[in-house]
Amino acid sequence: MLEYWIRLWRLHGKPIHQVVLYLRKTNSPLVRVDELQVGETRHRYGVVRLWEQDPLPLLQNPALLPLATLARKAGRSTSADAEHLALVADRVAAIKNPVLQKEIAGGCHLLAGLGFSQELINAYFTMGILDDSVTYQAAVAEYTRRASLEGERQGEQRGIHQGIQQEAQSLVLRLLPRRCGQLSHEQELSVRALPLEQLEALAEALLDFDGPEALNAWLAV
């Protein structure tokens, strides 16, 4: 927070009021921290724990409706969750601008996922409303990008593993005839079917082989 404050001050030289907004309820003591104090340096900032906030003020501003989904009136029970989401959904439905309405509804759907079941959310905010949401589209694009990168990484790892296994197969199949004579078709197939770990073990064991029976005995274990 201090680093952000310094950067903003350097850029704008204007008064800065900082607030950390915590969305999901947690018992971590960090959500109670509102200052940094090191030696003579003391930097304070505001902290808002959304689950402790009265939702009524948030319900008055359409832009704050997504945050209102996670605000809880004092003493509200879990059984009142459906009533609360229904109230937020009614406020979203009252937005006359259809583009703004879809954006706000998309934000409500996404943030509600931090505190409610998917079944309950879908009862009031259908997935169809997200189709035109730039926030949802950005989230999908980021997920797709990460999935693509993960797929490429896994593909590279599989390719490396396959390359190592093929090299191990080639080495073992070159060495075995020197210790066991010409391999039968069945023996060669058995060797090619071995996973990398067993190929490595066979590469060590074959140094003690003295004929095809030794290979057969090893494969039979």
Side-chain angles (χ1 to χ4, degrees), residues 179-220:
R179 308 296 299 179
C180 304
Q182 185 63 38
L183 301 183
S184 68
H185 181 65
E186 290 74 15
Q187 287 176 322
E188 181 174 343
L189 289 179
S190 297
V191 171
R192 290 188 181 277
L194 294 175
L196 179 59
E197 294 77 10
Q198 287 186 279
L199 284 170
E200 292 173 343
L202 178 56
E204 295 182 4
L206 66 82
L207 298 176
D208 297 324
F209 289 176
D210 55 4
E213 293 77 13
L215 174 58
N216 291 333
W218 191 94
L219 291 173

Side-chain angles (χ1 to χ4, degrees), residues 104-159:
I104 298 300
C108 290
H109 191 288
L110 290 173
L111 287 189
L114 295 175
F116 301 91
S117 69
Q118 191 63 55
E119 181 181 4
L120 185 59
I121 296 170
N122 289 341
Y124 298 100
F125 301 99
T126 62
M127 290 299 293
I129 63 177
L130 298 179
D131 292 341
D132 296 327
S133 168
V134 295
T135 303
Y136 178 71
Q137 291 170 1
V140 170
E142 177 63 14
Y143 174 82
T144 303
R145 184 187 69 83
R146 293 187 181 184
S148 176
L149 290 176
E150 179 64 16
E152 291 177 1
R153 185 184 66 81
Q154 292 181 354
E156 290 176 356
Q157 290 181 340
R158 285 195 296 270

Side-chain angles (χ1 to χ4, degrees), residues 11-101:
L11 284 173
H12 306 290
K14 303 290 185 180
I16 301 167
H17 179 63
Q18 291 181 299
V19 177
V20 179
L21 178 63
Y22 290 101
L23 301 177
R24 175 180 285 178
K25 186 175 182 180
T26 174
N27 294 323
S28 170
L30 294 177
V31 300
R32 304 290 170 180
V33 176
D34 61 359
E35 70 174 8
L36 168 71
Q37 188 165 0
V38 181
E40 296 182 359
T41 299
R42 185 182 186 188
H43 181 66
R44 302 204 65 182
Y45 47 87
V47 173
V48 174
R49 295 173 288 276
L50 195 54
W51 61 90
E52 296 178 353
Q53 304 305 306
D54 184 350
L56 291 180
L58 302 175
L59 291 169
Q60 308 308 312
N61 187 331
L64 299 179
L65 288 176
L67 297 178
T69 62
L70 297 176
R72 282 184 172 270
K73 184 179 295 185
R76 193 182 91 201
S77 63
T78 303
S79 61
D81 287 346
E83 181 182 347
H84 176 69
L85 280 187
L87 179 58
V88 176
D90 286 343
R91 297 299 174 92
V92 172
I95 300 174
K96 299 186 182 302
N97 185 319
V99 176
L100 179 61
Q101 185 187 62

